[in-house]
Amino acid sequence: MRIRSLGVIDDAVVELSPGFTAVTGETGAGKTMVVTSLGLLLGGRADPALVRIGAKNAVVEGRIAVPAGGTAIRRAEEAGAELDDGALLISRTVSAEGRSRAHIGGRSVPVGVLAELADELVAVHGQTDQQGLLKLSRQRQALDRYAGDAVAAPLAKYAGAYRRLRAITTELDEITTLARERAQEADMLRFGLDEIAAVEPRTGEDAELSAEAERLGHAEALASAATAAHAALAGNPEDPEGIDAATLVAGAHRALEAVSAHDSALAGLSGRIGEINILLRDVAGELAGYADDLDADPLRLAAVEERRAALTQLTRKYGKYGKDIDAVLAWAEQGAARLLELDGDDERIGELTTERDALRAELGGLAQALTDARTEAAERFAAAVTAELASLAMPHARVSFEIRQTDDPDGVELDGRTVAYGPAGVDEVELLLAPHPGAPPRPIAKGASGGELSRVMLAVEVVFAGTDPVPTYLFDEVDAGVGGKAAVEIGRRLARLARSAQVVVVTHLPQVAAFADRQLLVEKTNDGSVTRSGVKVLEGEDRIRELSRMLAGQEDSQTARAHAEELLATARADA
């Protein structure tokens, strides 16, 4: 990795060994920035406060070897990345304003893609993980993670039934709790539907009545106009001397028709005038019929206005989706459907209650299967962690799991009991530790000292390492609170783990660092920054001096040097 302008690091290159790499240095030298840098490359949260004061942005670049055929390669290629001789080049930039950019294989990608790759490439374990594993929920998650498909399969079935049960319970609560409000809503809908049904409106009826009312209200004027227009077109019987349009057009047609045989153009005009004559007679006939049929009945007009008033009242009250009678009919259609739903509450309650009881019974069976799977996995997990503790200078310690349930009258049936349930089952899982023979098993948060807790957590992580198919493990000071022989055993165990995977450890313990295949020293310059030369690989005399400093705080102490050389010799002999 290359790190620039991140925290105390100005510009530094971190070269990690394929085996076991230990990162050491004085407190505050910037060792944690190595962990933070790797976290950024793996899609971690970008905190602008990490950008070095005076810099515009912080940049972390890394080259990560990717397992051939793995999902990480496929995901990277889907994002458009190109591999560099089987490795991915990843970079992450964080600006002082908080903006973040990520690149994989020369292609800009969302930061979330880095997190997706991280699941297959690197497992990070630190003191935060230790504190998290003290929570019961995290201990259950750890057990489920260790169990793999043995728990994942029944848990998936249980989770599906649980979600359905929650949905049914919510609907039941809504129906029963809001029964009064729903009854009031049903009464209002019935009143409205009855009022609309009493009027019996038709689609478009309001527009039809409006047109009829307009016609009836002006019947005399309309009749007079139609009669006058008819007389102008076809003549008035009471005025035989009058001249009308039909007579004039007919005369014009006869005049042209007499000579049309001598000129085709004039013959065409004669034909068109003939058509006009026919059209005039048709319009005159329709005008005569209109005048005869027009009814100036004031009783009909009153009836139309009364009907319009009834429709207008409906529109004002129920025209939710518009201002015409069609909107009222739309409201009635939806209201009827809603009323049918509300009137079916009793039937629906019965159906939901039956389904809820059946799901409770089913959930109890699924919960039992889940508990059985966890119990079996817990025995294997506890045995594996106990075996690891023997390698960490706790040969008589015993780890176990307590899997228990809490009685709840509103819960599900489990082995003759009614117990509380949740989205992950009915089990409360707690990790217990008996540190020596005769000691009762107690929760690790109460029954372990600081050093014992660190070793238990490390043992848990090592057991996880055997089940997690990732090539790199990063441990950030998980050896805190440990010293002496236990520290030596931790270093030895990490070295063994490094035989099958890459292990990177940030540590203050010389007993751990001595077992590393490569030791990196992070040190500041006089101005308080870490430069390119500030992260260096320690070999030979330099490594002995650093181990001496870690042992006694004095690089040149002969006693410390002798102890450092002894530690290195022990580690090499063990390898």
Side-chain angles (χ1 to χ4, degrees):
M1 287 191 301
R2 183 179 182 185
I3 309 167
R4 287 179 288 171
S5 302
L6 185 71
V8 299
I9 298 180
D10 179 24
D11 190 347
V13 175
V14 180
E15 301 178 15
L16 302 178
S17 167
F20 179 6
T21 300
V23 181
T24 64
E26 292 279 5
T27 300
K31 300 187 301 299
T32 301
M33 288 298 102
V34 175
V35 179
T36 302
S37 299
L38 188 54
L40 287 173
L41 286 182
L42 301 176
R45 187 177 70 89
D47 185 354
L50 295 174
V51 179
R52 184 170 173 79
I53 296 175
K56 293 182 178 179
N57 51 49
V59 181
V60 182
E61 300 168 306
R63 188 176 189 274
I64 301 180
V66 185
T71 57
I73 284 185
R74 291 197 299 272
R75 185 65 186 94
E77 290 177 343
E78 289 173 0
E82 296 183 2
L83 270 66
D84 178 26
D85 193 21
L88 279 176
L89 300 180
I90 301 178
S91 70
R92 182 82 180 275
T93 303
V94 181
S95 72
E97 290 78 22
R99 293 188 300 274
S100 172
R101 298 194 308 273
H103 292 79
I104 301 178
R107 180 63 61 90
S108 177
V109 298
V111 173
V113 175
L114 299 183
E116 294 176 24
L117 298 179
D119 291 338
E120 186 180 352
L121 298 178
V122 181
V124 180
H125 307 294
Q127 289 181 306
T128 301
D129 300 283
Q130 289 189 18
Q131 298 302 317
L133 277 173
L134 296 180
K135 299 178 181 178
L136 296 186
S137 60
R138 286 290 299 275
Q139 292 177 20
R140 176 186 51 74
Q141 293 170 7
L143 177 59
D144 290 354
R145 172 183 160 200
Y146 173 81
D149 289 341
V151 166
L155 180 58
K157 294 181 181 178
Y158 173 92
Y162 175 83
R163 287 191 297 270
R164 177 57 184 158
L165 178 58
R166 295 302 300 167
I168 290 175
T169 303
T170 300
E171 187 175 353
L172 265 174
D173 290 343
E174 178 186 354
I175 293 176
T176 54
T177 302
L178 303 178
R180 183 175 179 180
E181 289 84 349
R182 292 168 71 90
Q184 291 175 344
E185 182 185 356
D187 288 342
M188 292 179 62
L189 287 172
R190 287 193 191 92
F191 179 83
L193 292 171
D194 289 344
E195 190 172 13
I196 295 172
V199 177
E200 296 183 343
R202 294 181 292 102
T203 299
E205 183 181 3
D206 50 349
E208 296 174 5
L209 291 173
S210 177
E212 185 177 359
E214 186 74 13
R215 186 170 63 254
L216 289 173
H218 300 82
E220 292 184 2
L222 293 173
S224 177
T227 301
H230 176 269
L233 294 178
N236 188 348
E238 298 179 358
D239 183 14
E241 300 297 329
I243 300 175
D244 57 84
T247 301
L248 293 174
V249 171
H253 181 253
R254 286 193 301 272
L256 293 179
E257 190 176 29
V259 296
S260 60
H262 305 298
D263 187 352
S264 59
L266 200 60
L269 294 173
S270 174
R272 290 167 63 186
I273 292 177
E275 293 173 0
I276 293 173
N277 189 32
I278 295 172
L279 182 59
L280 282 174
R281 294 184 182 280
D282 288 343
V283 172
E286 291 182 17
L287 285 171
Y290 176 84
D292 292 340
D293 293 339
L294 191 61
D295 185 6
D297 185 359
L299 295 179
R300 174 57 185 167
L301 178 59
V304 168
E305 292 296 350
E306 183 179 355
R307 179 68 175 174
R308 290 184 68 198
L311 295 180
T312 300
Q313 185 177 11
L314 291 181
T315 303
R316 289 173 179 171
K317 295 177 68 174
Y318 306 109
K320 181 178 179 181
Y321 306 106
K323 295 183 178 180
D324 56 21
I325 204 63
D326 289 350
V328 175
L329 293 173
W331 181 91
E333 182 179 358
Q334 295 193 8
R338 176 60 175 166
L339 182 59
L340 186 63
E341 177 185 336
L342 294 173
D343 285 343
D345 276 358
D346 291 341
E347 181 180 352
R348 182 59 177 160
I349 287 174
E351 294 174 353
L352 291 174
T353 301
T354 300
E355 186 176 0
R356 181 197 62 189
D357 295 342
L359 275 172
R360 279 183 183 274
E362 179 186 356
L363 209 62
L366 293 172
Q368 184 65 65
L370 188 55
T371 298
D372 293 342
R374 282 178 175 148
T375 301
E376 189 278 331
E379 294 177 356
R380 292 187 289 108
F381 193 10
V385 174
T386 298
E388 286 298 330
L389 289 177
S391 301
L392 296 174
M394 294 180 66
H396 304 298
R398 294 292 180 269
V399 168
S400 60
F401 277 97
E402 180 183 3
I403 300 177
R404 59 181 180 268
Q405 297 80 34
T406 301
D407 291 335
D408 184 348
D410 296 324
V412 297
E413 293 290 332
L414 184 74
D415 196 21
R417 299 168 55 199
T418 304
V419 300
Y421 65 99
V426 298
D427 304 318
E428 293 179 11
V429 177
E430 189 163 24
L431 186 62
L432 307 178
L433 172 68
H436 53 79
R442 300 184 63 193
I444 57 172
K446 301 177 181 178
S449 65
E452 288 172 339
L453 181 60
S454 291
R455 279 178 280 175
V456 171
M457 291 301 115
L458 179 58
V460 169
E461 301 298 353
V462 170
V463 170
F464 278 148
T467 59
D468 283 354
V470 293
T472 299
Y473 298 90
L474 173 62
F475 294 94
D476 181 16
E477 298 189 13
V478 292
D479 50 13
V482 179
K485 182 179 179 181
V488 174
E489 294 302 329
I490 288 177
R492 181 177 286 117
R493 191 64 192 87
L494 289 171
R496 291 176 184 172
L497 178 62
R499 295 173 185 173
S500 58
Q502 182 185 40
V503 176
V504 181
V505 179
V506 177
T507 181
H508 287 287
L509 296 180
Q511 297 94 326
V512 173
F515 281 88
D517 300 310
R518 170 178 289 181
Q519 183 172 349
L520 299 180
L521 173 64
V522 181
E523 58 182 354
K524 295 181 180 179
T525 59
N526 292 333
D527 64 359
S529 66
V530 177
T531 63
R532 179 182 295 272
S533 60
V535 180
K536 61 183 179 181
V537 179
L538 299 180
E539 296 178 349
E541 179 63 23
D542 289 338
R543 188 171 187 186
I544 291 175
R545 284 176 58 83
E546 172 62 8
L547 290 175
S548 299
R549 181 199 64 77
M550 297 172 71
L551 283 164
Q554 301 177 9
E555 296 89 339
D556 298 324
S557 168
Q558 293 301 315
T559 302
R561 286 179 58 85
H563 193 182
E565 291 172 351
E566 183 181 359
L567 278 176
L568 285 174
T570 301
R572 289 166 182 161
D574 188 76

